[in-house]
Structures are given as structure tokens and as C-alpha cells.
Amino acid sequence: GEPLPVLAPLPPRHGSELAYLIYTSGSSGRPKGVAVDHRALLQHCRGVEQAYALRADDRVLHFAALGFDISLDQLFPPLIAGACSVAREAELWEPRRFAEKLVELDITVADLPSALWHLLAREWSGRADLPANPRLRLVLVGGEAMAADALRDWRHTPYAGVPLLNGYGPTETTITASGHDCAADADGTTVPIGRPFANRRMYVLDEALQPLPAGLPGELYIAGEGLARGYRGQPATTAAAFLPDPFGPPGARMYRSGDRARYRDDGVLDFLGRVDAQVKLRGHRLELGEVEAALCRLPGVREAAAGVRTVGAAGEQLVAWLVAESGTTIDADALRARLVASLPAHAVPAQFVVLDLLPLHNGKIHRRALSAPSFADEAFHRPPATPTETWLAALWTELLGQERVGIDSDFFVLGGNSLLAMRLLARVRDRCGVALPVRQVFETPTIAALATCIDIVVCARREAAAIQQAAHAVDDAREEIEL
């Protein structure tokens, strides 16, 4: 064949020159172009090469899409180490096929988004028929918090003996900043994010940027080699996120991650959720991360997300989106009862939405795709049969913004809250003259039960009035006889 053309050598690159620009929406939703220079990328590759003990004979699965920064973790460090980065096919493999592909491609290091790893842990648990890959020596997980339940499931897969590393790192710190060897982790409710890599420093600070002792939660700041330049074209946002490092050498910077964390006594970091995951709902401050952690501890729950959504006329409600364990059915009433025992009332979700899978974007939970619950299918069961039930049903459709409701539908499941319960009882008092306490709606939250309660009071009043009328008649008759 024809000889290959001779290409001019690339000019030498300086460490401060831009290596890549990658966009992330962040918590604000406004796209931010994270600019990473060659020095930061090289330091990241060296840190990863050391942490993963990459070898020249390694074959690293390049699974993530190029729009996801973890793909750079699966490309450059292996090449720096002289190893091979094996790109997956466009096809998204189902769990068994995924196990087969690990063998076919002779993968030694599998770097997986946590959402995918959660799925594999669930589907592979207890499976003895999966093909074994004796060459697989390391599984890396990152992108979202690792669920403790999934880790317990993983220990019942054929790959339980393969070292498992839980990685953590924002895009702004060049992908991965710390890792935790899960083999040494005891069964708990959370999985740590470990210790910083050799060329990183990680601080847990209070609002005055003072270090917090082990056990106390604070905001996580990351310093050392590997920080991005900042956000392209957004100097104010860059200045707010990349601060002078008061604990490092002169001129050093640290990145404000926006994540909550705490150090354990042994120097291992626990991830506690986002700082901006704190929301205010009807005067109460809520930590969504704590709500999600409580949800994940419930029996039968595989994965969970929490958020505030506008639900019809009920306004803003705390909503939980759940994925059930394989072979189980989620009972929302039973879950709510358990949460009431472990969380304050304002932190118990008003609505539970069961999904087959949580929506994902670039391997992370796509929170904007978690829509408000719809009650179109569950709102209509038995139709009203009595005048009181008919009137209450009309009142519920008005207050809750529903087209129709059934007499077995729960007031709170349909979007009701204590404020709407007060409005409901005010209308009952005006129409029927029956003054009921707010707790009555909590105790009898269906139309059928509340209508029965109202009818009993009305009937009792009628009987009392009839008895009183009869007593008056007897008194009148006695007076006539006496006359």
C-alpha cells in the first residue's frame, strides 16, 4: 500500500494551556463551561494511575459517553500508564450481556457510573449462572452516592471478591479526588467516599471556613493538584467557587464543592448530600439528602430520590420517587408509617411515586425529569352513594384540583395537607353545622370514612333534637292534664 503521510510533530504544550472544556449544569441549571488545563489533567492521571495501580497489561472499560467527564477518567490514565482503553459498543447491554462482555473484551478494570452499578448489583445478586472473568481485578464506581443496600447485594454476586472502589470528585477538580476501598467497609447505612488521592487535599469547613473536628458535618472543600481554571466566561461564578486556600502554600486555591461531608475518626470521609439540597417547605427547612437516606433504609426500597413539586391545588409537596427491590411491592402507607417513627412530620413525603428506574442523565439522576405525581389512574375507585359522600366528593375535586375522586381515595395521597384540611372542615362546619377537629381528617382521610363520621354526628343531633322535642311534648301533655 501507499506509505503513510509524514505528519509534522505536534508543538510542545505548556501545562497552563487548555486541555479541554466540558459543560455541567450544576445546581443552578445554567450551563457552566469547566476549563481544565494540561497540568491539572496530567496530575489527575498520575493520581489515578497510583490509586488504581494501573499496569501496562490492563484493559479498562471505556463505558461512559464523551459528554460525561468520567469518560476522560477511562481514557487518559490508561494511556498514560501504557494500558488499553476499550470502548464499548453503542448498544447499552442488559445485565447478563454486560457480564458476558466483560469476559469477551477481557476487561481488567471496569469503571462504572453508580446508577448502572446499582442495577448490576440488583440483577447479579444471587446469580450463579453468570460467566466469570478471572482477569477482572478492579471495579470502580462513581457519579452518584453509592447505596449501602446495593453494596450488600454486590457481596452476593460472582464478583464479590473483586476489589471495589467508591470514587468521588466534582468536574471542577478534574473528575476524581478521592476513593474508598469498600472491602474494608462495615455494613452500614452509608458508604464513605474515602480518603483524598495523594496529590489532593480535602477540608470539611464551617461557615467561617474553619476546620471541623471528626464527626461534625460541614461543607467539603477540595485543594491540591488538579483544580480546573474555572468557568469559561463567568468570572463572578469562578470567584465564588474557587477560593484562596488558607491551609495551603501561597497562591493555592480550593474548590467549594457544595457537598456536605464529615470526617470519621479514622480519617475517612462520609458524603452527606448537597448543601443546596436544603429546601424550605411551609416554614420548615428540609435536607433532601437526609430524607433520601431514610427512604433507602426502608425495607423493599432499592433506590430513592426526594424533591419538592407543585401538586395540584395542594401547592408544594414533598415527593419521594422510589425503585422497589426485585420481587417486592412497595406499600406507601406502610412506608409512611415507618418514616413517621424516624423523621419529623414535615420531612415525611406527602406523595410516593414508584418507578421501574430513576431517570438518568450522563449516569446521574436526572432530577428535572422527576415530575410531579399524577393521580389520574388512582383517583377514581368507588363512586359516592350517599348525599354526604356526593357533596364531599365535589368539595374534594375543588380543593385538590382533581377532576373526580373515589370515596376510598386518601385525602393526603391526592395532595391534601393540614392547611387544606382546615379549609375542608370549615366548609363542613358551614354546610352541616358539624365542627370537627383537624385530627379527624388524619384519622378518617377518605370520603367514605369522613362522610360516615359526619352522618353519625348529624344523626346523633337529630336524635337528640327528636328526644328533646318528645320531652317537650310530654311536658306539654302533663301540663294539660294538670289543668
Side-chain angles (χ1 to χ4, degrees), residues 20-45:
Y20 65 86
L21 184 71
I22 190 165
Y23 279 85
T24 175
S25 65
S27 58
S28 67
R30 180 187 176 190
K32 296 181 291 188
V34 180
V36 177
D37 59 28
H38 284 271
R39 181 183 294 108
L41 180 57
L42 179 60
Q43 291 297 330
H44 165 73
C45 290

Side-chain angles (χ1 to χ4, degrees), residues 228-284:
R229 290 181 183 176
Y231 303 113
R232 183 180 183 183
Q234 298 186 44
T237 306
T238 298
F242 294 86
L243 308 176
D245 180 4
F247 314 105
R253 298 177 305 150
M254 62 181 184
Y255 171 68
R256 184 177 189 175
S257 72
D259 292 331
R260 296 175 68 249
R262 68 178 165 222
Y263 269 109
R264 297 184 176 184
D265 290 335
D266 59 0
V268 169
L269 275 165
D270 276 332
F271 174 79
L272 302 176
R274 292 286 300 168
V275 171
D276 54 20
Q278 186 184 80
V279 297
K280 195 170 185 180
L281 181 64
R282 290 191 289 277
H284 295 286

